[in-house]
Amino acid sequence: MIVLFTDFGLAGPYTGQMKAVLAREAPGVPVIDLFADAPQRDPRRAAYLLAAYAPWFAPGTVFLAVVDPGVGGARKPIIAAADGRQLVGPENGLFAIALRRTACCEVREIAWRPDALSASFHGRDLFAPVAARLARGEPVASAPMPAESALRPDWPDDLAEIVYVDAYGNAMTGLRAATLPRDARLRVGGRTIAPARTFSAVPPGTAFWYGNSCGLAEIAVNLGRADAALGLAIGSAVAVEK
Amino acid sequence: MIVLFTDFGLAGPYTGQMKAVLAREAPGVPVIDLFADAPQRDPRRAAYLLAAYAPWFAPGTVFLAVVDPGVGGARKPIIAAADGRQLVGPENGLFAIALRRTACCEVREIAWRPDALSASFHGRDLFAPVAARLARGEPVASAPMPAESALRPDWPDDLAEIVYVDAYGNAMTGLRAATLPRDARLRVGGRTIAPARTFSAVPPGTAFWYGNSCGLAEIAVNLGRADAALGLAIGSAVAVEK
Amino acid sequence: MIVLFTDFGLAGPYTGQMKAVLAREAPGVPVIDLFADAPQRDPRRAAYLLAAYAPWFAPGTVFLAVVDPGVGGARKPIIAAADGRQLVGPENGLFAIALRRTACCEVREIAWRPDALSASFHGRDLFAPVAARLARGEPVASAPMPAESALRPDWPDDLAEIVYVDAYGNAMTGLRAATLPRDARLRVGGRTIAPARTFSAVPPGTAFWYGNSCGLAEIAVNLGRADAALGLAIGSAVAVEK
C-alpha cells in the first residue's frame, strides 16, 4: 500500500499526476489519500500530524509524503525506514517526529534521478517513482546518511499547537493524548477545556478535548465547530493545565 | 462495489483511513466516493439524498454510509437490506427513506465488534470492516431487529427543503420530481420558479427547476448559481404551488 | 488509463457516478482525477489547461473531459484522436487547443446512445460508457466530422489570461513558457513580474513567473499566495513585456 500525505490541496492536478505515475510504475498497488491538506508549506507542524497517523498503517506501507516548500533547492530527497514502514520525501524535518518515535530507523539519500526532473514538482518526477519502486519491493539507488540530520533535535517531542482542523471544525493538537494526565485541562483560544470520552458524552454546544482515533489530543464541540467557537487555526497555541 | 456516503468532508484523513481498511479487507473491490459532503451531522436531510442516489447503483452494491453525530453513544450499528443493496451504518434514520421506498427490506443489528474500537471513528473501525465482509459475500454476526425503528414514520415521504447544494450552486430538494405535477411551480427563496427540461432550455441567468439525473427536483440557474441568486442553503424551505 | 478532466467541482456525486460507470464498464483500468475544478462552464479557458496537461500522459490514454454548459442542447458528443490519445466529450471547443497542437488529429461524432440518457448528465450516461469502451480497445459507433468545427480558429494559440489558480495560490496562465523569451517580464495584476527557475530561487514573499511542470507560464510567490498578493483569478489578463 502507498499512502499519500501532501499539502497539495484537494484541488488541482498534482495528486492526479502522482497517481498516474504510481498506476504505471506500481500497477495493482492500492494508493490511499491520507492527507492532501497537511499544514501548507509547513513541514514542522505536518511532522506531528504524519507521526500520529503513520503508525496506524501496517508495516510494509510506503508513505509518499510531500510538504516541500524548498523544492528545487538544496534539500535532499530521502527514504526513511521506521519500524517496517518506509517514508519517501524531502529532508526538511517532515519525517523527524515519526522517526524519533520508532525503535529503529534508517535514513538514506536518494541517488536515483529520473530522465526528466522538473524544478517544481519532485513529487511527481522523483518521489512517486521511488515510492512505486519500494512498493514493488525493488531497490532504489541511495546512500546512507546520518539520521541525526533528519531528526531535528530542536523540535519538541509533542507540539502544543493546533496542527490540523478537520471538516467538522475539530482542531487536532500536536500533543499525544497518552502523554497528558487523563483529567488534564487544556487552555486554548482563551478558554479552559475539560476532557470527555467522545462527542455524545457532552451536551450539544459544549467544548471538550479527547484522544482522537489516532491518539492526538483534539479540541471539539459536540454538534458544533470548535474552530469557530474558540477561534482556532493551524498554529494556535495550546497549554496544558495540570 | 462499495459506495461511500459520508459527511466527513472532502478534507482530512477519514475517508482515506476507511479506504485503507477496504483495500486490505476487500482487495480488488471497486470503492466509489459518492458523497463525502452529505448534510453534516444531519441524518434526516442526508436520508433523502441517499434514498435518491442509492437506486441508481446496481443490486449487490454495498453502501458504507456514515452520517453519525451520535458515534460512541447509544445508537446501534446496523445492516439494512433494500432490494438487493446493502446499507451499513448507524441506526439514526439515515437509511429510513431508502428503506421505505423499497419493496422488501430487512434490518439487522451488527453484533460483531473489532478488537480495537475507537470512541469516535466507527466508520473506520466497525462499519468499514463490515462493509468489506459483505462485499466479499461473507456473513457478519448480526441479529434481526424491527425494521420499524429504522423507518422513522414521523419523517415525510419527500422533504420540501434543500438537502444539497452542488459545486455549480444547483440546489437539490428532498422532493422527487416524479411526485410533482409536470408544470408545478416551486416557491423557494422568495421566488416562484417554473420547470424546464435542462439548463440550455432557458436563457442565461434564468432560474428554473428540473428533475435531476437521479430524480430529485433541483433548483438551478442557467450559467449562474442558484444558491447565490436565491439565497439557498441546506435546510431552505421549498413550497409547491399547483 | 482513463483521465478525468471536468468542472464538476470536488464535491458532489458527479465524479463518483462517472467512476462507477467506468468501474463496471472498464474494470481494472486505472482512473486518474486530473482536474475536477477546470474553469467552470468555461470550455475556452479550460481548453488551454487541457492542452497543457494532456501531452504529459502516455499515448493510449483516454481523456474523459466534461466542461459542458450546453449539456442537453445542440452541441454534439465527440471523440477526438490526437497523437495516440483519445479525448471524449462535448464539441464546444474544449479540445480545440489540444488538437491544434498535434501532428495529426481526427474528430468523430458519437452516434451511440445509451438506453437511458438524462438531460443534464451526459458525462455519466454517454461520455463515460464511451470512454470505457475506448479504454477497452473496442469500437464505438461514430462518424467522421470536419475537424475544423472543433478547432476554433478564432481562439488564439496561447491565451494571455489566468486559466487556473491552484491550492497554493499559484496562477497558471494560458501561455506556454516555451513561447516566451527566457527573460520576458509579465504584466499582471498591475505588477511586472520577472522570471525565476523555481520557488526557492527567489526570496520569501517575492512574486515571479516560471515554466511550470507542464510547460505553462505560472505566476507564483515564494512562500506566499500569488492570487491574493496580485489580485488574480481565472480570467485575469496577462501581458508580455519584451
Side-chain angles (χ1 to χ4, degrees), chain B residues 69-158:
Chain B
V71 63
R75 98 282 175 273
K76 294 170 182 162
I78 63 172
I79 299 167
D83 288 343
R85 299 172 192 86
Q86 295 187 91
L87 305 144
V88 179
E91 187 215 12
N92 59 15
L94 182 58
F95 304 154
I97 308 306
L99 290 174
R100 212 189 282 178
R101 293 180 188 167
T102 59
C104 62
C105 69
E106 188 193 7
V107 181
R108 302 181 69 87
E109 181 178 348
I110 300 169
W112 177 83
R113 288 295 180 278
D115 292 335
L117 178 65
S118 66
S120 58
F121 198 2
H122 290 195
R124 178 191 72 187
D125 299 335
L126 198 161
F127 297 129
V130 167
R133 216 157 292 189
L134 295 176
R136 291 194 319 247
E138 291 176 20
V140 173
S142 61
M145 57 183 277
E148 287 75 25
S149 72
L151 286 173
R152 297 291 162 119
D154 52 320
W155 293 0
D157 283 344
D158 291 82

Side-chain angles (χ1 to χ4, degrees), chain B residues 15-96:
Chain B
T15 295
Q17 288 192 299
M18 289 211 314
K19 287 185 178 176
V21 171
L22 298 175
R24 189 184 63 213
E25 306 278 333
V29 174
V31 176
I32 298 295
D33 294 291
L34 181 59
F35 284 94
D37 60 338
Q40 204 174 48
R41 297 161 168 163
D42 190 348
R44 182 166 171 270
R45 292 194 182 97
Y48 294 87
L49 198 61
L50 179 59
Y53 279 82
W56 181 81
F57 291 88
T61 301
V62 175
F63 292 83
L64 173 48
V66 189
V67 177
D68 191 15
V71 63
R75 98 282 175 273
K76 294 170 182 162
I78 63 172
I79 299 167
D83 288 343
R85 299 172 192 86
Q86 295 187 91
L87 305 144
V88 179
E91 187 215 12
N92 59 15
L94 182 58
F95 304 154

Side-chain angles (χ1 to χ4, degrees), chain A residues 7 11-12 14 16 40-41 72 124, chain C residues 37 164 166-168 197 213 224:
Chain A
D7 69 345
Y14 311 118
Q40 204 174 47
R41 297 161 167 163
R124 178 191 71 188
Chain C
D37 60 338
Y164 188 74
D166 76 8
Y168 301 96
R197 199 181 65 91
S213 64

